[in-house]
Amino acid sequence: MSATAIAANNLVKIFGSGPNAVTALDNVSLTISDNEFFTLLGPSGCGKTTLLRLIAGFEQPTEGDIEIFGSAVAGLPPYERPVNTVFQHYALFPHMNIAENVGFGLKMLGREQREIDEAVTTSLSLVKMEEFATRTPAQLSGGQQQRIALARALAPRPKVLLLDEPLSALDLKLRQAMRTELKTLQRDTGITFVFVTHDQEEALTMSDRIAVMSAGLIQQIGTARDIYERPDNRFVADFIGDSNFISATIDVIDSDVAHCVIGNGLTIPTQLVGDHRVGDTVTLAIRPEKIGLSGGGDWIIKESIYLGTDTSYRIASGTQEMTVREQNARTGTARFNVGDAVSLDVAAQTTTMLRD
């Protein structure tokens, strides 16, 4: 079992006081394992960056405590913690060349020049930027500067690397490439990465585990698959990917499967969650790609949107509407057209009964 790298216990962070006080974190607890790629995911203002800053030591908690590898860090400044941070804006020194930028932190720590030179070479090699050591930041692209910021943060060999939306300034193609590189870098170094982002795709593609946050609270912690396939509540289901939210009534309970009826009479099986009984009204979350379509039935295609790899259909039956996505055939053509009648196939393991 992996050691615990970070343990946050009942963290509260309040900015300001009196009627102007803002609670950025509200009794947040979590543990992050050593050598884990852990992501804090949520919309702007949810508290994810505040939590990262508490771990880094740039802010102190109003209540609660943080341990890093078993040692309490309350009151310790950032430079006395075994962590380093990569920010959204890389803050490279324009008057220094790349090697000097990467070695700057080690120089401030009083390390010998030989040790600094070795660490700089190793760090630049990790991010595949050895040949740029003598250039200045102005001579590098945005993606190259991001790699140098990573190399500088890795040079002191921190136990934990904190990354505050480091890819947000890059264009789409470069962001996608850097996701793979970051995950490879984390695996190769064995350093615990704590990554902050509002981008669900970034979180899903890189993370060992994800903490979804909203309004200063952790809504759910789990693997990418757990959170996508089994969201705990409506916020998580809505924030991660697309979902149809359907009001349904439990008609039959068979062991741990509830057979739920929606407005047009369609019965949808789903795993029973909570202490529900026959007759209860519940909310079901169904991912658009989890719904199968076949010709003929009482649902009508109202809209068809070509999305390249797949087609999105808006379907309706009476007052009930849903969105369905199907991967396109090799020919690129959609199977159905607006006005076609279709029937639905929804398997029990593809539907989630929400807790709230």
Side-chain angles (χ1 to χ4, degrees):
M1 185 174 180
S2 296
T4 297
I6 297 169
N9 305 300
N10 307 116
L11 289 179
V12 175
K13 181 60 181 179
I14 299 173
F15 292 99
S17 60
N20 296 320
V22 175
T23 301
L25 292 176
D26 188 4
N27 198 34
V28 166
S29 296
L30 58 79
T31 59
I32 301 172
S33 297
D34 186 22
N35 195 22
E36 184 173 27
F37 197 121
F38 191 93
T39 296
L40 302 172
L41 172 68
S44 297
C46 72
K48 57 188 185 296
T49 294
T50 298
L51 178 52
L52 196 80
R53 290 177 63 83
L54 290 177
I55 296 170
F58 298 123
E59 302 282 353
Q60 296 297 322
T62 306
E63 298 176 19
D65 61 85
I66 297 172
E67 294 181 355
I68 300 180
F69 287 94
S71 297
V73 294
L76 286 181
Y79 61 84
E80 290 186 11
R81 303 185 182 204
V83 305
N84 226 336
T85 307
V86 178
F87 298 100
Q88 179 178 347
H89 302 292
Y90 314 130
L92 300 176
F93 299 112
H95 61 287
M96 295 182 182
N97 66 27
I98 298 310
E100 291 167 339
N101 265 281
V102 174
F104 180 79
L106 293 170
K107 185 177 181 179
M108 292 299 99
L109 291 172
R111 304 288 175 83
E112 294 182 0
Q113 190 60 47
R114 190 172 107 181
E115 182 183 353
I116 294 173
D117 293 342
E118 290 176 354
V120 168
T121 299
T122 300
S123 297
L124 287 176
S125 177
L126 281 170
V127 298
K128 302 178 177 61
M129 292 289 288
E130 308 99 304
E131 63 188 277
F132 297 90
T134 59
R135 296 192 188 183
T136 63
Q139 295 174 304
L140 304 184
S141 68
Q144 290 170 334
Q145 289 186 39
Q146 198 258 11
R147 287 182 174 89
I148 297 307
L150 278 169
R152 182 175 62 185
L154 290 168
R157 299 299 289 179
K159 291 185 176 180
V160 177
L161 187 64
L162 309 175
L163 301 107
D164 189 7
E165 305 220 34
L167 307 184
S168 59
L170 305 179
D171 62 50
L172 177 60
K173 287 288 187 183
L174 191 50
R175 282 204 311 273
Q176 291 172 336
M178 286 305 302
R179 290 170 193 164
T180 302
E181 291 191 24
L182 273 177
K183 181 57 184 173
T184 300
L185 187 62
Q186 187 272 327
R187 186 172 58 245
D188 290 347
T189 61
I191 295 172
T192 302
F193 277 29
V194 184
F195 187 89
V196 162
T197 184
H198 64 274
D199 187 315
Q200 55 179 281
E201 190 173 315
E202 282 184 4
L204 292 173
T205 55
M206 292 191 295
S207 312
D208 295 317
R209 286 191 303 148
I210 301 166
V212 183
M213 299 186 67
S214 173
L217 298 168
I218 292 180
Q219 301 293 323
Q220 185 174 354
I221 297 177
T223 65
R225 186 178 296 276
D226 290 339
I227 286 174
Y228 187 83
E229 301 289 352
R230 288 287 175 263
D232 274 353
N233 55 46
R234 184 166 183 141
F235 176 84
V236 176
D238 196 27
F239 190 76
I240 307 289
D242 298 318
S243 288
N244 295 291
F245 297 105
I246 309 296
S247 179
T249 302
I250 297 178
D251 185 47
V252 175
I253 295 177
D254 180 11
S255 185
D256 62 346
V257 176
H259 298 268
C260 303
V261 178
I262 65 174
N264 69 337
L266 176 68
T267 297
I268 297 176
T270 186
Q271 185 174 353
L272 183 65
V273 173
D275 189 23
H276 288 298
R277 300 179 180 180
V278 170
D280 286 354
T281 298
V282 295
T283 299
L284 305 181
I286 310 173
R287 300 291 187 187
E289 75 277 9
K290 303 293 187 181
I291 302 171
L293 295 180
S294 55
D298 55 359
W299 292 80
I300 304 298
I301 304 287
K302 294 293 185 179
E303 185 178 50
S304 175
I305 302 175
Y306 176 76
L307 298 171
T309 58
D310 56 350
T311 295
S312 175
Y313 299 105
R314 181 169 60 86
I315 63 174
S317 179
T319 60
Q320 190 74 60
E321 288 195 359
M322 282 196 275
T323 299
V324 180
R325 291 180 71 156
E326 278 197 342
Q327 188 167 4
N328 290 324
R330 292 187 207 179
T331 59
T333 57
R335 289 204 300 143
F336 302 103
N337 299 310
V338 173
D340 287 352
V342 294
S343 58
L344 310 186
D345 177 26
V346 183
Q349 64 269 26
T350 63
T351 304
T352 301
M353 182 184 295
L354 300 179
R355 297 181 187 277
D356 56 359

